[in-house]
Amino acid sequence: MRDTADLRSRFHARFGAKTPAPRAFFAPGRVNLIGEHTDYNDGFVLPVALELGITLIAAPRDDRRIRVHTLNLDQTAEIDLDRPGTGNTGRWIDYIEGVAHMVDTRIQPIRGADLFVGGDVPRGAGLSSSAALEVGTGFALLSLAGATIDRVALALAGQAAEHTFVGTRCGIMDQLVSACARAGSALLVDCRSLATEAVPLPGGPVAILVTDTRKKHALATSEYNTRRAECERSVTLLQSALPDVRSLRDVTEEAFAGHASLLPEPILRRARHVVTENARTQSAADALRRGDIAAVGASFIASHRSLQHDYEVSCPELDTLVDLAVAQPGVYGARMTGGGFGGSTVSLVDESALDAVMAAVRDAYQRRFGVEPGFLVTRGGAGAREIQI
């Protein structure tokens, strides 16, 4: 979380003194423990909110204009709620304008605002800085309007903004965990019903280690949208034998095995990943509930191999980080996390081995790729909220 006193000082330097005084808000990034590319297939995911995220200093205006300055890029932009654009400019303001428009039209009318935004989630690391920006902006604008915030509605507004104004047909996971997470817990999400369950994370000697490849990825790419189209095609083909199937969420492992011959390559492998990943995610949640960290770790490794070979969204950097991690004593399991083609891995590591694991992975990865990976350790943060300045 950014220093709110510093951000407030920068806010005043940019926008001048305000009455009423500006308020501060925070929305977290996330790391997904397991359940990758299942969210847009109505499946199950098990993310954790980070202690890092997007911090916003916000003050209301008397008109319907929103002025925004982003500290990270040192850029300012302005939008008019009464003349919304169509987005898809490829710039950061698409996220702000999109969520402002969706909140204004879907939840309740809002007023203009001056916003000063600072983030500490590494961009392009697969830790969902974009969803944190959407949820944080929506939370701030609704709060300034005096709204009672429906967190699920806020998450859906963020998702709609990304679909319409950014051009990424993302699932609901990132926005939902940024809005609804509880500290010290993973959030098991049913992406069809949007039901959530806080699953306590292991305490004591087990750490969640996130390792950044330093290879940036972009979800708004043809590959991401192609995978989604391939999943939709698999549902159409399976419906000839399984007419009650609405999405891959409805296909059990047994039913898939019995009807896999209906699917050509590579659609067969895409569908197989989603079907087995849903089962792994529920099994991992069960293992967390009973404190079986070894079983959670085994699910991590199986998930990565499925993403690597069946869904084909990994890359040499991600595969190398996973292989290096699981070879170290004290590592229960590791997998890529996020959309893929770069970004980060997540590992479950015995606390006593953490320094040794990071040192071994850092040295070997740097020798191969010529760049040092980034590390962060999380215990699971809370969702979007107002914070005291």
Side-chain angles (χ1 to χ4, degrees):
M1 183 184 298
R2 288 277 190 175
D3 182 338
T4 53
D6 177 63
L7 288 180
R8 180 179 60 178
S9 176
R10 292 173 182 269
F11 175 97
H12 287 308
R14 175 68 53 175
F15 298 118
K18 294 290 180 178
T19 303
R23 297 158 66 182
F25 303 90
F26 176 80
R30 67 94 186 96
V31 60
N32 190 25
L33 296 185
I34 193 167
E36 219 66 75
H37 291 278
T38 51
D39 56 345
Y40 54 82
N41 288 289
D42 288 348
F44 297 89
V45 294
L46 191 65
V48 169
L50 299 174
E51 294 84 355
L52 307 179
I54 300 293
T55 304
L56 303 95
I57 308 298
R61 293 172 57 90
D62 293 329
D63 55 20
R64 295 259 293 166
R65 305 187 77 82
I66 297 177
R67 295 188 298 176
V68 191
H69 183 82
T70 169
L71 177 63
N72 296 63
L73 299 176
D74 192 23
Q75 294 179 6
T76 303
E78 185 171 320
I79 61 177
D80 186 342
L81 287 167
D82 293 323
R83 295 183 179 179
T86 58
N88 294 287
T89 67
R91 298 181 62 235
W92 60 273
I93 194 61
D94 291 343
Y95 296 95
I96 302 284
E97 183 167 21
V99 78
H101 177 66
M102 293 302 169
V103 164
D104 188 51
T105 58
R106 294 184 173 211
I107 299 179
Q108 78 165 56
I110 56 175
R111 59 199 299 187
D114 289 331
L115 304 176
F116 196 95
V117 181
D120 54 7
V121 180
R123 295 178 67 233
L127 304 178
S128 207
S129 57
S130 58
L133 179 59
E134 293 156 8
V135 170
T137 299
F139 196 100
L141 293 174
L142 285 168
S143 296
L144 294 181
T148 299
I149 296 175
D150 180 328
R151 291 174 180 267
V152 173
L154 173 59
L156 288 169
Q159 181 194 36
E162 195 144 346
H163 286 188
T164 305
F165 280 73
V166 180
T168 300
R169 298 179 64 205
C170 64
I172 190 61
M173 172 182 66
D174 296 351
Q175 293 83 3
L176 200 60
V177 68
S178 187
C180 301
R182 298 183 190 176
S185 297
L187 194 71
L188 179 63
V189 180
D190 180 334
C191 294
R192 173 173 286 167
S193 69
L194 303 186
T196 61
E197 176 194 347
V199 181
L201 293 169
V206 180
I208 299 171
L209 174 65
V210 181
T211 308
D212 183 358
T213 62
R214 306 294 194 187
K215 179 177 181 179
K216 305 305 181 186
H217 71 174
L219 285 184
T221 63
S222 60
E223 287 293 337
Y224 181 94
N225 290 332
T226 294
R227 292 299 183 279
R228 183 162 184 161
E230 288 170 335
C231 291
E232 292 167 354
R233 177 61 178 158
S234 73
V235 170
T236 300
L237 294 172
L238 288 169
Q239 283 173 334
S240 64
L242 302 168
D244 293 334
V245 167
R246 294 163 48 200
S247 70
L248 287 173
R249 145 68 174 273
D250 300 315
V251 182
T252 65
E253 290 180 286
E254 294 75 19
F256 181 81
H259 300 287
S261 61
L262 295 172
L263 304 179
E265 288 286 0
I267 290 176
L268 182 149
R269 286 182 290 118
R270 309 301 190 240
R272 182 169 60 204
H273 164 72
V274 175
V275 170
T276 57
E277 186 80 346
N278 274 322
R280 281 188 292 269
T281 301
Q282 294 178 86
S283 294
D286 286 340
L288 270 181
R289 293 186 192 101
R290 63 177 186 269
D292 189 347
I293 306 306
V296 179
S299 295
F300 274 30
I301 296 169
S303 172
H304 184 78
R305 299 310 174 200
S306 181
L307 289 158
Q308 180 182 7
H309 300 299
D310 276 355
Y311 220 63
E312 295 184 295
V313 291
S314 190
C315 63
E317 291 86 351
L318 288 166
D319 296 338
T320 297
L321 282 181
V322 168
D323 293 342
L324 289 171
V326 298
Q328 306 306 314
V331 175
Y332 295 95
R335 59 182 291 277
M336 60 157 276
T337 185
F341 306 110
S344 299
T345 63
V346 59
S347 307
L348 289 178
V349 184
D350 190 283
E351 184 83 41
S352 64
L354 196 55
D355 289 341
V357 169
M358 289 190 291
V361 169
R362 178 188 298 111
D363 292 346
Y365 187 84
Q366 189 167 23
R367 284 196 300 271
R368 175 164 180 184
F369 294 104
V371 63
E372 186 174 305
F375 297 99
L376 70 88
V377 177
T378 182
R379 302 294 181 187
R385 57 199 183 271
E386 184 167 1
I387 53 179
Q388 296 302 310
I389 297 180

